[in-house]
Amino acid sequence: MKRKTFCLLAATTLLAAGMNAHAQGGYPTQPVKWVVPYAPGGTTDVIARNLATRMGPEMGQPVIVDNKPGAASIIGATFIARSQPDGYTVGTADSGTLAFNPAMYSTLSYDAGKDFSFIGGLGKMPLVLAVAPGFPAKNVQELLALAKRSPGSVSSASSGPGSPLHVALELFKQRTGTDLMHVPYKGSAPALQDLMAGQVQTMFVDLPPSLSMIKGGKIRVLAVATPQRLSILPDVPTMAEAGVPGFEAYAWQGFVGPAKLPDAVVSRLNASLVAALKHPETRARLEELGIQPMPMTPAEFGDFVRSEQKLWSGVIKAANIRLD
């Protein structure tokens, strides 16, 4: 009896080890689902589809984008977190998912620090400070002077409470000691429309949805929230050049899977992702949309996420932004 039990346990162990080795060594052997926590057509969707198209042939299996929008990315993030850690369900997690939501919600259906395997970076969307065409301030210092002369009189739109555009505004207010009136919208499109029309005066915007308006002169950019000037807007000063040192703000996105993904699977996905991000055609396509490709190792992306969590949790708490 003992001999039979021992043989059964040994066989079970060998079978499990063989299955694990096959899952890692032969990965992938079936299509990979890429969960996008936003609706089709937006920047997040565009990034995912461009990269999935490049990664599929390289990996030898289709990478299929599956949109699961809603609840400030919480629905999609929770789906990823609760999936089997086999590498066949992965997806996008952005600054809201990993850095903002944990500070803005008292309870979440996922743990941003424990429920994900960090695979790599996807892209940064630089934020720029834009104003309505007829707004009198011609630079950041003139804007600050107006705001300080009459606190709360200068309006600043965002794509919604707790969005990257709102949080960037709060960081700007804290760093400059100014009081700008926050005007939240349901999305960046209506906010940009009102900015162009002069219904609101200022707004932090990300480049992908606003680049055509900027180049068409429909809104004016006072500064970019990046360490160096952007090649796509070479004449626009950085915040440091405009007199606000140390101010950087991006909307960013990364690639994650559920916690406890095997190291070999993470490495395989990261290698394919980095190759796609560095492919000249894909890189050029993203950059022309105002997206900066962000290739990183899993460790680098994990460190980046933790630094962003530390920065933005402080900003959010100081601004008392709560979404529940």
Side-chain angles (χ1 to χ4, degrees):
M1 186 68 179
K2 289 182 178 179
R3 181 179 177 82
K4 288 183 178 179
T5 302
F6 175 79
C7 290
L8 180 60
L9 287 171
T12 302
T13 301
L14 286 170
L15 179 62
M19 290 176 65
N20 188 48
H22 176 73
Q24 296 182 41
Y27 173 86
T29 59
Q30 65 189 57
V32 176
K33 179 186 294 184
W34 183 322
V35 175
V36 171
Y38 297 99
T43 302
T44 308
D45 187 65
V46 168
I47 292 175
R49 291 181 188 276
N50 272 276
L51 293 172
T53 299
R54 187 69 60 187
M55 290 171 65
E58 192 277 332
M59 296 184 74
Q61 290 289 339
V63 179
I64 302 168
V65 173
D66 183 12
N67 298 88
K68 294 188 180 298
S73 82
I74 294 172
I75 291 174
T78 303
F79 186 88
I80 296 169
R82 294 180 180 173
S83 298
Q84 289 295 318
D86 55 12
Y88 292 104
T89 300
V90 290
T92 301
D94 63 6
S95 46
T97 309
L98 297 174
F100 302 164
N101 287 351
M104 291 189 289
Y105 290 89
S106 57
T107 58
L108 275 176
S109 51
Y110 65 86
D111 186 317
K114 298 178 180 179
D115 288 349
F116 300 105
S117 297
F118 297 135
I119 299 170
L122 295 178
K124 288 182 178 181
M125 284 62 72
L127 301 189
V128 303
L129 178 56
V131 297
F135 188 62
K138 303 302 181 187
N139 55 55
V140 172
Q141 292 305 312
E142 290 183 7
L143 166 61
L144 294 177
L146 284 172
K148 290 179 178 179
R149 191 156 52 240
S150 183
S153 64
V154 177
S155 59
S156 191
S158 83
S159 53
S163 65
L165 310 185
H166 175 206
V167 177
L169 168 64
E170 296 299 335
L171 177 62
F172 182 75
K173 290 163 62 176
Q174 292 169 23
R175 292 282 174 87
T176 59
T178 53
D179 179 14
L180 302 178
M181 181 177 64
H182 177 220
V183 183
Y185 285 77
K186 293 182 178 180
S188 60
L192 283 165
Q193 289 296 322
D194 275 7
L195 182 66
M196 287 190 292
Q199 299 299 314
V200 288
Q201 295 164 300
T202 71
M203 180 179 174
F204 277 93
V205 301
D206 54 338
L207 287 181
S210 61
L211 193 56
S212 63
M213 302 172 195
I214 294 169
K215 292 194 169 183
K218 296 179 180 179
I219 57 177
R220 288 190 292 114
V221 177
L222 300 186
V224 298
T226 53
Q228 290 86 33
R229 293 194 182 199
L230 300 176
S231 60
I232 205 166
L233 298 172
D235 297 327
V236 178
T238 66
M239 277 288 183
E241 291 173 329
V244 186
F247 184 94
E248 294 181 30
Y250 301 84
W252 54 262
Q253 298 177 5
F255 198 40
V256 302
K260 300 181 180 179
L261 276 185
D263 289 344
V265 170
V266 172
S267 295
R268 181 72 182 93
L269 286 165
N270 177 265
S272 184
L273 173 64
V274 169
L277 286 167
K278 291 184 176 180
H279 191 282
E281 290 180 12
T282 304
R283 187 177 188 90
R285 172 61 179 153
L286 295 178
E287 288 178 344
E288 73 181 13
L289 295 173
I291 301 163
Q292 296 179 346
M294 194 169 75
M296 293 178 169
T297 66
E300 288 169 342
F301 181 54
D303 289 343
F304 173 78
V305 169
R306 286 183 283 273
S307 68
E308 288 286 287
Q309 288 172 338
K310 182 178 180 180
L311 167 65
W312 295 110
S313 64
V315 173
I316 289 164
K317 289 174 182 176
N320 195 30
I321 304 173
R322 303 299 302 176
L323 296 183
D324 57 3

CSV table of all heavy atoms in Angstrom, one decimal, residues 20-67:
chain,number,residue,atom,x,y,z
A,20,ASN,N,4.3,22.1,-16.1
A,20,ASN,CA,4.9,23.4,-15.8
A,20,ASN,C,6.0,23.7,-16.8
A,20,ASN,O,6.1,24.8,-17.3
A,20,ASN,CB,5.4,23.5,-14.4
A,20,ASN,CG,5.8,24.9,-14.0
A,20,ASN,OD1,5.0,25.8,-14.2
A,20,ASN,ND2,6.9,25.0,-13.4
A,21,ALA,N,6.9,22.7,-17.0
A,21,ALA,CA,7.9,22.9,-18.0
A,21,ALA,C,7.4,23.2,-19.4
A,21,ALA,O,7.9,24.0,-20.1
A,21,ALA,CB,8.9,21.7,-17.9
A,22,HIS,N,6.4,22.4,-19.7
A,22,HIS,CA,5.8,22.6,-21.1
A,22,HIS,C,5.2,24.0,-21.2
A,22,HIS,O,5.3,24.7,-22.2
A,22,HIS,CB,4.8,21.5,-21.3
A,22,HIS,CG,4.0,21.7,-22.6
A,22,HIS,ND1,4.6,21.4,-23.8
A,22,HIS,CD2,2.8,22.1,-22.9
A,22,HIS,CE1,3.8,21.7,-24.8
A,22,HIS,NE2,2.6,22.1,-24.3
A,23,ALA,N,4.5,24.4,-20.1
A,23,ALA,CA,3.8,25.7,-20.1
A,23,ALA,C,4.8,26.8,-20.3
A,23,ALA,O,4.5,27.8,-21.0
A,23,ALA,CB,3.0,25.9,-18.9
A,24,GLN,N,6.0,26.7,-19.7
A,24,GLN,CA,6.9,27.7,-19.7
A,24,GLN,C,7.8,27.6,-21.0
A,24,GLN,O,8.0,28.6,-21.7
A,24,GLN,CB,7.8,27.7,-18.5
A,24,GLN,CG,7.0,28.0,-17.2
A,24,GLN,CD,7.9,28.0,-16.0
A,24,GLN,OE1,9.0,28.5,-16.0
A,24,GLN,NE2,7.4,27.4,-14.9
A,25,GLY,N,8.3,26.4,-21.2
A,25,GLY,CA,9.3,26.2,-22.3
A,25,GLY,C,8.6,26.4,-23.7
A,25,GLY,O,9.2,26.9,-24.6
A,26,GLY,N,7.3,25.9,-23.8
A,26,GLY,CA,6.7,25.9,-25.1
A,26,GLY,C,5.8,27.1,-25.3
A,26,GLY,O,5.1,27.2,-26.3
A,27,TYR,N,5.8,28.0,-24.3
A,27,TYR,CA,4.9,29.2,-24.3
A,27,TYR,C,5.2,30.1,-25.5
A,27,TYR,O,6.4,30.4,-25.7
A,27,TYR,CB,4.9,29.9,-23.0
A,27,TYR,CG,4.2,31.2,-22.9
A,27,TYR,CD1,2.8,31.2,-22.6
A,27,TYR,CD2,4.8,32.4,-23.2
A,27,TYR,CE1,2.1,32.4,-22.6
A,27,TYR,CE2,4.1,33.6,-23.2
A,27,TYR,CZ,2.7,33.6,-22.9
A,27,TYR,OH,2.0,34.7,-22.9
A,28,PRO,N,4.2,30.6,-26.2
A,28,PRO,CA,2.7,30.3,-26.0
A,28,PRO,C,2.3,29.2,-27.0
A,28,PRO,O,2.9,29.1,-28.1
A,28,PRO,CB,2.1,31.6,-26.4
A,28,PRO,CG,3.0,32.2,-27.4
A,28,PRO,CD,4.4,31.8,-27.0
A,29,THR,N,1.4,28.4,-26.6
A,29,THR,CA,0.9,27.3,-27.5
A,29,THR,C,-0.6,27.6,-27.9
A,29,THR,O,-1.2,26.8,-28.6
A,29,THR,CB,0.9,26.0,-26.8
A,29,THR,OG1,0.1,26.0,-25.5
A,29,THR,CG2,2.3,25.6,-26.4
A,30,GLN,N,-1.1,28.8,-27.5
A,30,GLN,CA,-2.5,29.2,-27.9
A,30,GLN,C,-2.5,30.7,-27.9
A,30,GLN,O,-1.6,31.3,-27.5
A,30,GLN,CB,-3.5,28.6,-26.9
A,30,GLN,CG,-3.3,29.2,-25.5
A,30,GLN,CD,-4.2,28.4,-24.5
A,30,GLN,OE1,-4.1,27.2,-24.3
A,30,GLN,NE2,-5.0,29.2,-23.8
A,31,PRO,N,-3.6,31.3,-28.5
A,31,PRO,CA,-3.7,32.7,-28.5
A,31,PRO,C,-3.6,33.4,-27.2
A,31,PRO,O,-4.0,32.8,-26.2
A,31,PRO,CB,-5.0,33.0,-29.2
A,31,PRO,CG,-5.3,31.7,-30.0
A,31,PRO,CD,-4.7,30.6,-29.2
A,32,VAL,N,-3.0,34.6,-27.1
A,32,VAL,CA,-2.9,35.3,-25.9
A,32,VAL,C,-3.9,36.5,-25.9
A,32,VAL,O,-4.0,37.2,-26.9
A,32,VAL,CB,-1.4,35.9,-25.8
A,32,VAL,CG1,-1.3,36.8,-24.6
A,32,VAL,CG2,-0.4,34.8,-25.7
A,33,LYS,N,-4.6,36.6,-24.8
A,33,LYS,CA,-5.6,37.7,-24.7
A,33,LYS,C,-5.0,38.9,-24.0
A,33,LYS,O,-4.4,38.8,-23.0
A,33,LYS,CB,-6.8,37.2,-23.9
A,33,LYS,CG,-7.9,38.3,-23.7
A,33,LYS,CD,-9.0,37.8,-22.7
A,33,LYS,CE,-9.8,36.7,-23.3
A,33,LYS,NZ,-10.9,36.3,-22.4
A,34,TRP,N,-5.1,40.1,-24.7
A,34,TRP,CA,-4.6,41.3,-24.2
A,34,TRP,C,-5.8,42.2,-23.8
A,34,TRP,O,-6.5,42.7,-24.6
A,34,TRP,CB,-3.8,42.1,-25.2
A,34,TRP,CG,-3.1,43.4,-24.8
A,34,TRP,CD1,-3.7,44.3,-24.0
A,34,TRP,CD2,-1.9,43.9,-25.2
A,34,TRP,NE1,-2.8,45.4,-23.8
A,34,TRP,CE2,-1.7,45.1,-24.6
A,34,TRP,CE3,-0.9,43.4,-26.1
A,34,TRP,CZ2,-0.5,45.9,-24.8
A,34,TRP,CZ3,0.3,44.2,-26.2
A,34,TRP,CH2,0.5,45.4,-25.6
A,35,VAL,N,-6.0,42.3,-22.4
A,35,VAL,CA,-7.1,43.0,-21.9
A,35,VAL,C,-6.8,44.5,-21.9
A,35,VAL,O,-5.8,45.0,-21.3
A,35,VAL,CB,-7.5,42.6,-20.5
A,35,VAL,CG1,-8.6,43.4,-19.9
A,35,VAL,CG2,-7.9,41.1,-20.5
A,36,VAL,N,-7.7,45.3,-22.5
A,36,VAL,CA,-7.6,46.8,-22.5
A,36,VAL,C,-8.7,47.3,-21.7
A,36,VAL,O,-9.9,47.1,-22.0
A,36,VAL,CB,-7.6,47.4,-23.9
A,36,VAL,CG1,-7.7,48.9,-23.9
A,36,VAL,CG2,-6.4,47.0,-24.7
A,37,PRO,N,-8.4,48.0,-20.6
A,37,PRO,CA,-9.5,48.5,-19.7
A,37,PRO,C,-10.2,49.7,-20.1
A,37,PRO,O,-10.8,50.4,-19.2
A,37,PRO,CB,-8.7,48.7,-18.3
A,37,PRO,CG,-7.4,49.1,-18.8
A,37,PRO,CD,-7.1,48.4,-20.0
A,38,TYR,N,-10.2,50.0,-21.4
A,38,TYR,CA,-10.9,51.2,-21.9
A,38,TYR,C,-11.6,50.8,-23.2
A,38,TYR,O,-11.3,49.7,-23.8
A,38,TYR,CB,-10.0,52.3,-22.2
A,38,TYR,CG,-9.3,52.9,-20.9
A,38,TYR,CD1,-8.0,52.5,-20.5
A,38,TYR,CD2,-10.0,53.7,-20.0
A,38,TYR,CE1,-7.4,52.9,-19.4
A,38,TYR,CE2,-9.4,54.2,-18.9
A,38,TYR,CZ,-8.2,53.8,-18.5
A,38,TYR,OH,-7.6,54.2,-17.4
A,39,ALA,N,-12.5,51.6,-23.7
A,39,ALA,CA,-13.3,51.4,-24.9
A,39,ALA,C,-12.4,51.4,-26.1
A,39,ALA,O,-11.3,52.0,-26.1
A,39,ALA,CB,-14.4,52.4,-25.0
A,40,PRO,N,-12.8,50.7,-27.2
A,40,PRO,CA,-12.0,50.8,-28.5
A,40,PRO,C,-11.9,52.2,-29.0
A,40,PRO,O,-12.8,53.0,-28.8
A,40,PRO,CB,-12.9,49.9,-29.4
A,40,PRO,CG,-13.7,49.1,-28.5
A,40,PRO,CD,-14.0,49.9,-27.3
A,41,GLY,N,-10.8,52.5,-29.7
A,41,GLY,CA,-10.6,53.7,-30.4
A,41,GLY,C,-9.8,54.7,-29.7
A,41,GLY,O,-9.3,55.7,-30.3
A,42,GLY,N,-9.6,54.6,-28.4
A,42,GLY,CA,-8.8,55.6,-27.6
A,42,GLY,C,-7.4,55.3,-27.7
A,42,GLY,O,-6.9,54.3,-28.3
A,43,THR,N,-6.6,56.1,-27.0
A,43,THR,CA,-5.1,56.0,-27.0
A,43,THR,C,-4.7,54.6,-26.5
A,43,THR,O,-3.8,54.0,-27.1
A,43,THR,CB,-4.5,57.1,-26.2
A,43,THR,OG1,-4.9,58.4,-26.7
A,43,THR,CG2,-2.9,57.0,-26.2
A,44,THR,N,-5.3,54.2,-25.4
A,44,THR,CA,-4.9,52.9,-24.8
A,44,THR,C,-5.1,51.8,-25.8
A,44,THR,O,-4.3,50.9,-25.9
A,44,THR,CB,-5.7,52.6,-23.5
A,44,THR,OG1,-5.5,53.8,-22.6
A,44,THR,CG2,-5.2,51.4,-22.8
A,45,ASP,N,-6.2,51.8,-26.5
A,45,ASP,CA,-6.6,50.8,-27.4
A,45,ASP,C,-5.6,50.8,-28.6
A,45,ASP,O,-5.2,49.8,-29.1
A,45,ASP,CB,-8.0,51.0,-27.9
A,45,ASP,CG,-8.5,49.9,-28.8
A,45,ASP,OD1,-8.7,48.8,-28.3
A,45,ASP,OD2,-8.8,50.2,-30.0
A,46,VAL,N,-5.3,52.0,-29.1
A,46,VAL,CA,-4.4,52.2,-30.2
A,46,VAL,C,-3.0,51.6,-29.9
A,46,VAL,O,-2.4,50.9,-30.8
A,46,VAL,CB,-4.3,53.7,-30.6
A,46,VAL,CG1,-3.2,53.9,-31.6
A,46,VAL,CG2,-5.6,54.1,-31.2
A,47,ILE,N,-2.5,51.9,-28.7
A,47,ILE,CA,-1.2,51.4,-28.4
A,47,ILE,C,-1.2,49.8,-28.3
A,47,ILE,O,-0.4,49.2,-28.9
A,47,ILE,CB,-0.8,51.9,-27.0
A,47,ILE,CG1,-0.5,53.4,-27.0
A,47,ILE,CG2,0.5,51.2,-26.5
A,47,ILE,CD1,-0.2,54.0,-25.7
A,48,ALA,N,-2.2,49.3,-27.7
A,48,ALA,CA,-2.3,47.8,-27.6
A,48,ALA,C,-2.4,47.2,-28.9
A,48,ALA,O,-1.7,46.2,-29.2
A,48,ALA,CB,-3.5,47.5,-26.7
A,49,ARG,N,-3.3,47.7,-29.8
A,49,ARG,CA,-3.5,47.0,-31.1
A,49,ARG,C,-2.2,47.1,-32.0
A,49,ARG,O,-1.9,46.2,-32.7
A,49,ARG,CB,-4.7,47.6,-31.8
A,49,ARG,CG,-6.0,47.2,-31.1
A,49,ARG,CD,-7.2,47.8,-31.8
A,49,ARG,NE,-8.4,47.5,-31.0
A,49,ARG,CZ,-9.1,46.3,-30.9
A,49,ARG,NH1,-8.7,45.4,-31.7
A,49,ARG,NH2,-10.1,46.2,-30.1
A,50,ASN,N,-1.5,48.3,-31.9
A,50,ASN,CA,-0.3,48.4,-32.7
A,50,ASN,C,0.8,47.4,-32.2
A,50,ASN,O,1.5,46.7,-33.0
A,50,ASN,CB,0.3,49.8,-32.6
A,50,ASN,CG,-0.2,50.7,-33.6
A,50,ASN,OD1,0.3,50.8,-34.8
A,50,ASN,ND2,-1.3,51.5,-33.3
A,51,LEU,N,0.9,47.2,-30.9
A,51,LEU,CA,1.9,46.3,-30.4
A,51,LEU,C,1.5,44.8,-30.5
A,51,LEU,O,2.3,44.0,-30.8
A,51,LEU,CB,2.2,46.6,-28.9
A,51,LEU,CG,2.8,48.0,-28.7
A,51,LEU,CD1,2.9,48.3,-27.2
A,51,LEU,CD2,4.3,48.0,-29.2
A,52,ALA,N,0.2,44.6,-30.3
A,52,ALA,CA,-0.3,43.2,-30.5
A,52,ALA,C,-0.1,42.7,-31.9
A,52,ALA,O,0.3,41.5,-32.1
A,52,ALA,CB,-1.8,43.1,-30.1
A,53,THR,N,-0.3,43.5,-32.9
A,53,THR,CA,-0.1,43.2,-34.3
A,53,THR,C,1.3,42.8,-34.5
A,53,THR,O,1.6,41.9,-35.3
A,53,THR,CB,-0.5,44.3,-35.2
A,53,THR,OG1,-1.9,44.6,-35.0
A,53,THR,CG2,-0.3,44.0,-36.7
A,54,ARG,N,2.3,43.5,-33.9
A,54,ARG,CA,3.7,43.2,-34.1
A,54,ARG,C,4.1,42.0,-33.3
A,54,ARG,O,4.9,41.2,-33.7
A,54,ARG,CB,4.5,44.4,-33.6
A,54,ARG,CG,6.0,44.3,-33.9
A,54,ARG,CD,6.3,44.4,-35.4
A,54,ARG,NE,5.8,45.6,-36.0
A,54,ARG,CZ,5.9,45.9,-37.3
A,54,ARG,NH1,6.3,44.9,-38.1
A,54,ARG,NH2,5.4,47.0,-37.8
A,55,MET,N,3.6,41.8,-32.1
A,55,MET,CA,4.0,40.7,-31.2
A,55,MET,C,3.5,39.3,-31.6
A,55,MET,O,4.1,38.3,-31.4
A,55,MET,CB,3.5,41.0,-29.7
A,55,MET,CG,4.3,42.1,-29.1
A,55,MET,SD,3.5,42.6,-27.5
A,55,MET,CE,3.8,41.1,-26.5
A,56,GLY,N,2.3,39.3,-32.2
A,56,GLY,CA,1.7,38.0,-32.5
A,56,GLY,C,2.6,37.2,-33.4
A,56,GLY,O,2.9,36.0,-33.1
A,57,PRO,N,3.0,37.7,-34.6
A,57,PRO,CA,3.8,36.9,-35.5
A,57,PRO,C,5.2,36.5,-34.8
A,57,PRO,O,5.7,35.4,-35.0
A,57,PRO,CB,4.1,37.8,-36.7
A,57,PRO,CG,2.9,38.7,-36.7
A,57,PRO,CD,2.5,38.9,-35.2
A,58,GLU,N,5.7,37.4,-34.0
A,58,GLU,CA,7.0,37.1,-33.4
A,58,GLU,C,6.8,35.9,-32.4
A,58,GLU,O,7.7,35.1,-32.2
A,58,GLU,CB,7.5,38.4,-32.7
A,58,GLU,CG,9.0,38.3,-32.2
A,58,GLU,CD,9.1,37.6,-30.8
A,58,GLU,OE1,8.1,37.6,-30.0
A,58,GLU,OE2,10.2,37.0,-30.6
A,59,MET,N,5.7,35.9,-31.7
A,59,MET,CA,5.5,34.8,-30.7
A,59,MET,C,4.9,33.6,-31.3
A,59,MET,O,4.9,32.5,-30.6
A,59,MET,CB,4.5,35.4,-29.6
A,59,MET,CG,5.1,36.5,-28.8
A,59,MET,SD,4.1,37.1,-27.4
A,59,MET,CE,4.3,35.7,-26.3
A,60,GLY,N,4.4,33.6,-32.5
A,60,GLY,CA,3.9,32.4,-33.1
A,60,GLY,C,2.5,32.1,-32.8
A,60,GLY,O,2.0,31.0,-33.1
A,61,GLN,N,1.8,33.0,-32.1
A,61,GLN,CA,0.4,32.9,-31.7
A,61,GLN,C,-0.3,34.3,-31.8
A,61,GLN,O,0.4,35.3,-31.5
A,61,GLN,CB,0.2,32.3,-30.3
A,61,GLN,CG,0.6,30.9,-30.1
A,61,GLN,CD,-0.3,29.9,-30.8
A,61,GLN,OE1,-1.5,30.3,-31.1
A,61,GLN,NE2,0.1,28.7,-31.0
A,62,PRO,N,-1.6,34.3,-32.2
A,62,PRO,CA,-2.2,35.6,-32.2
A,62,PRO,C,-2.3,36.3,-30.8
A,62,PRO,O,-2.4,35.6,-29.8
A,62,PRO,CB,-3.6,35.3,-32.7
A,62,PRO,CG,-3.5,33.9,-33.3
A,62,PRO,CD,-2.4,33.2,-32.6
A,63,VAL,N,-2.1,37.6,-30.8
A,63,VAL,CA,-2.3,38.3,-29.5
A,63,VAL,C,-3.6,39.2,-29.8
A,63,VAL,O,-3.6,40.1,-30.6
A,63,VAL,CB,-1.1,39.3,-29.2
A,63,VAL,CG1,-1.4,40.1,-28.0
A,63,VAL,CG2,0.1,38.4,-29.0
A,64,ILE,N,-4.7,38.8,-29.1
A,64,ILE,CA,-6.0,39.3,-29.4
A,64,ILE,C,-6.4,40.4,-28.3
A,64,ILE,O,-6.4,40.1,-27.1
A,64,ILE,CB,-7.0,38.2,-29.4
A,64,ILE,CG1,-6.6,37.1,-30.4
A,64,ILE,CG2,-8.4,38.7,-29.7
A,64,ILE,CD1,-7.4,35.8,-30.3
A,65,VAL,N,-6.7,41.6,-28.8
A,65,VAL,CA,-7.1,42.6,-27.9
A,65,VAL,C,-8.6,42.4,-27.4
A,65,VAL,O,-9.5,42.2,-28.3
A,65,VAL,CB,-7.0,44.0,-28.5
A,65,VAL,CG1,-7.6,45.1,-27.6
A,65,VAL,CG2,-5.5,44.3,-28.8
A,66,ASP,N,-8.8,42.5,-26.1
A,66,ASP,CA,-10.2,42.3,-25.6
A,66,ASP,C,-10.5,43.5,-24.7
A,66,ASP,O,-9.9,43.7,-23.6
A,66,ASP,CB,-10.2,41.0,-24.7
A,66,ASP,CG,-11.6,40.7,-24.2
A,66,ASP,OD1,-12.6,41.4,-24.6
A,66,ASP,OD2,-11.7,39.8,-23.3
A,67,ASN,N,-11.4,44.4,-25.1
A,67,ASN,CA,-11.7,45.6,-24.4
A,67,ASN,C,-12.7,45.3,-23.3
A,67,ASN,O,-13.8,44.7,-23.5
A,67,ASN,CB,-12.3,46.7,-25.4
A,67,ASN,CG,-11.4,47.1,-26.4
A,67,ASN,OD1,-11.3,46.5,-27.5
A,67,ASN,ND2,-10.6,48.1,-26.2
